[in-house]
Amino acid sequence: MRTTTSTVPAGDVMPAGRDVTADRTGGAKAPRGPRRGIGGWQTNLAALVFLLPALVLFGYFSWWPILSSVILGFQQTNLVEPAIWVGWENFQRLFADPVLPIAVRNTLWFAALSLAIGFPVPVLLAVFMSEVRRFGGLFRVLVYLPVVVPPVVSVLLWKWFYNPDAGLFNQVLGLVGLGPFPWLQDSGWAMPSLVLEATWAGAGGAVLIYLAALSGVSTELYEAAEIDGASVWRRVWHVMLPQIRGVLLLMLLLQVIGVFQVFTEPFVMTDGGPSNATVTVLLLIYRYAFLFGDYGTAAALSVLLALVLAVLSAIYLRLTKRWGSQ
């Protein structure tokens, strides 16, 4: 004869001290965890152990070179023999160099031109492309195409464009009776020519970032503005730009930091000429280190440049913090 067995295990009996109230309501009493203080400490320790390899690698490759540069700024070395501690001597030699004020002035001039030309152009292109209903993908490819060209190749290409005899620009302008212009041979034309090339080479990435920010703007705001009869310019000024204010401020800060470190354009196109008209701070650092072999002075100038950028960034973030959070 087939016998039936109970589905309840023999050992499944109510333990002593079980919460009767929880059984009546059908709920289970949550088990008591470890004390908050001990549990939080263990959690933090475990997270620190997992993060430790990444922190060590980040510190070694990111912060150790910065600290080494600061130390090198107070030393005299050729990177082969043991370094000699010289104190502030590198900074004194640096401030006595007559080329330093020229390099600082040229860097400021390049930054001003880059912000005046290179900052609004990507914004306007992004607004235009967001308003275009057709061929949006084609415009994105064309705008971003200069970014995929290696920087040195693009600089050499533009150097040929600027050629006073056989360059593309003078040939095209010659068709309408203009020129020839001494793009890179004149001290007044050289720096704006570098800014045009830098804007062409770097605008594509900024345009895509602005397009991504504009895609997040609510369409209801556009529709409400169109119903109210707002023109395209008023929609851009009162709807688009205020909605991407935070991205604009961040991109402006990144561009300021980037233009203060311009090197490839003056190094490849003009080598600082004519008559030191395009010598920048970073190009001067290169000359100290690799032409004169004065690594200590080069490190001292690098430290000063980093300090200036840090102070400018702090002031900028302080001034724009309230505006960006609105």
Side-chain angles (χ1 to χ4, degrees):
M1 178 181 293
R2 186 177 181 181
T3 60
T4 57
T5 58
S6 175
T7 58
V8 179
D12 190 6
V13 295
M14 181 179 292
R18 184 172 177 175
D19 193 343
V20 179
T21 306
D23 291 341
R24 290 177 179 177
T25 57
K29 188 176 182 179
R32 291 183 178 180
R35 294 181 178 178
R36 178 175 298 178
I38 299 177
W41 180 80
Q42 291 176 344
T43 303
N44 294 334
L45 180 60
L48 182 60
V49 170
F50 280 107
L51 285 176
L52 190 59
L55 292 176
V56 170
L57 291 176
F58 181 79
Y60 182 77
F61 289 103
S62 298
W63 290 102
W64 176 246
I66 298 176
L67 181 60
S68 300
S69 299
V70 174
I71 297 174
L72 189 61
F74 296 93
Q75 294 177 337
Q76 182 179 4
T77 177
N78 56 5
L79 301 182
V80 177
E81 300 176 353
I84 301 174
W85 185 266
V86 295
W88 296 97
E89 185 177 330
N90 292 329
F91 292 89
Q92 294 174 354
R93 185 184 307 110
L94 179 64
F95 287 116
D97 189 350
V99 183
L100 179 62
I102 299 176
V104 173
R105 183 188 61 197
N106 292 337
T107 303
L108 293 175
W109 179 230
F110 182 88
L113 289 177
S114 297
L115 295 179
I117 301 174
F119 183 72
V121 168
V123 177
L124 295 176
L125 287 175
V127 171
F128 170 76
M129 293 168 64
S130 65
E131 291 291 329
V132 172
R133 305 299 181 187
R134 302 178 60 184
F135 306 112
L138 177 61
F139 286 136
R140 287 178 174 83
V141 171
L142 293 178
V143 169
Y144 195 74
L145 193 58
V147 180
V148 303
V149 180
V152 176
V153 175
S154 64
V155 170
L156 291 176
L157 180 66
W158 275 71
K159 189 175 182 179
W160 173 72
F161 289 165
Y162 287 140
N163 188 293
D165 300 324
L168 177 64
F169 291 155
N170 278 341
Q171 289 185 0
V172 172
L173 294 175
L175 297 177
V176 293
L178 298 177
F181 297 101
W183 300 99
L184 301 176
Q185 290 70 33
D186 184 80
S187 58
W189 284 78
M191 192 61 80
S193 302
L194 299 186
V195 172
L196 289 179
E197 189 280 335
T199 302
W200 173 84
V207 169
L208 292 187
I209 293 175
Y210 290 136
L211 281 174
L214 290 174
S215 65
V217 179
S218 175
T219 57
E220 297 176 354
L221 298 176
Y222 291 113
E223 294 173 357
E226 290 179 355
I227 292 174
D228 292 340
S231 62
V232 176
W233 167 248
R234 294 180 68 86
R235 293 202 301 270
V236 170
W237 187 254
H238 295 288
V239 178
M240 280 187 179
L241 296 184
Q243 293 296 317
I244 62 172
R245 183 188 298 119
V247 178
L248 290 173
L249 295 176
L250 178 61
M251 293 298 293
L252 180 60
L253 176 61
L254 295 178
Q255 186 169 355
V256 169
I257 296 175
V259 297
F260 269 85
Q261 303 181 56
V262 58
F263 173 75
T264 305
E265 286 80 6
F267 176 69
V268 177
M269 299 182 79
T270 61
D271 196 20
S275 302
N276 290 330
T278 56
V279 173
T280 59
V281 173
L282 222 59
L283 185 59
L284 188 59
I285 293 174
Y286 168 81
R287 288 181 175 180
Y288 275 123
F290 300 105
L291 294 185
F292 309 144
D294 192 352
Y295 299 101
T297 306
L301 185 54
S302 302
V303 171
L304 291 178
L305 178 62
L307 290 176
V308 170
L309 291 178
V311 172
L312 286 178
S313 301
I315 295 174
Y316 175 81
L317 292 175
R318 180 72 177 176
L319 294 177
T320 59
K321 181 179 179 180
R322 184 176 181 182
W323 187 43
S325 60
Q326 289 178 353

